[in-house]
Amino acid sequence: MSDYNNKKSESVLLGWADAPEYNENGEIKAWKFRLKDSELKDCIDQYTTIRDEKGEGGNVRFRLFMSKNGNACLSVWDPNSEAAQERRNKRAQSESSDTIPF
């Protein structure tokens, strides 16, 4: 199997989004999605990033993208996913190795 098939995802697919709106130059000018109140609450409860002592964080990160079939899709970044945790661990290890004084 290829690495692509084995790649762990940091995002959760939420579903379809509205088709993008384009300007006269063919550039995307707007892209919309909607969530039911229960879906929004679930996203806040499950996918909000941790707020640090400076008050930074507390975000829910959405991503709009086109599927391979050309359909507009919506996903949300899962900070609790295995792939996200692995990335944080690698970053922490590289930062700790950069601070060694010798």
Side-chain angles (χ1 to χ4, degrees):
M1 281 189 159
S2 69
D3 289 339
Y4 178 78
N5 292 332
N6 294 330
K7 185 177 179 183
K8 295 176 185 171
S9 177
E10 294 186 24
S11 298
V12 176
L13 180 65
L14 293 180
W16 306 115
D18 294 344
E21 299 172 19
Y22 297 90
N23 64 17
E24 59 276 352
N25 296 327
E27 300 166 333
I28 294 175
K29 69 175 186 174
W31 212 343
K32 301 175 190 173
F33 69 91
R34 62 179 165 260
L35 299 172
K36 296 194 179 296
D37 56 352
S38 59
E39 294 170 327
L40 183 58
K41 183 179 181 330
D42 288 345
C43 286
I44 292 169
D45 292 344
Q46 295 177 33
Y47 307 121
T48 302
T49 59
I50 296 172
R51 191 175 299 274
D52 64 13
E53 61 278 348
K54 297 177 188 175
E56 297 174 355
N59 302 305
V60 178
R61 297 179 181 173
F62 294 96
R63 183 172 74 107
L64 293 164
F65 62 98
M66 299 302 283
S67 72
K68 291 179 182 178
N69 297 332
N71 296 317
C73 297
L74 171 68
S75 67
V76 62
W77 181 67
D78 182 0
N80 304 308
S81 70
E82 186 178 338
Q85 290 172 359
E86 287 176 5
R87 187 168 53 89
R88 276 195 301 274
N89 291 340
K90 285 180 185 176
R91 184 184 305 149
Q93 289 173 352
S94 68
E95 287 175 1
S96 66
S97 66
D98 291 344
T99 60
I100 296 176
F102 51 88

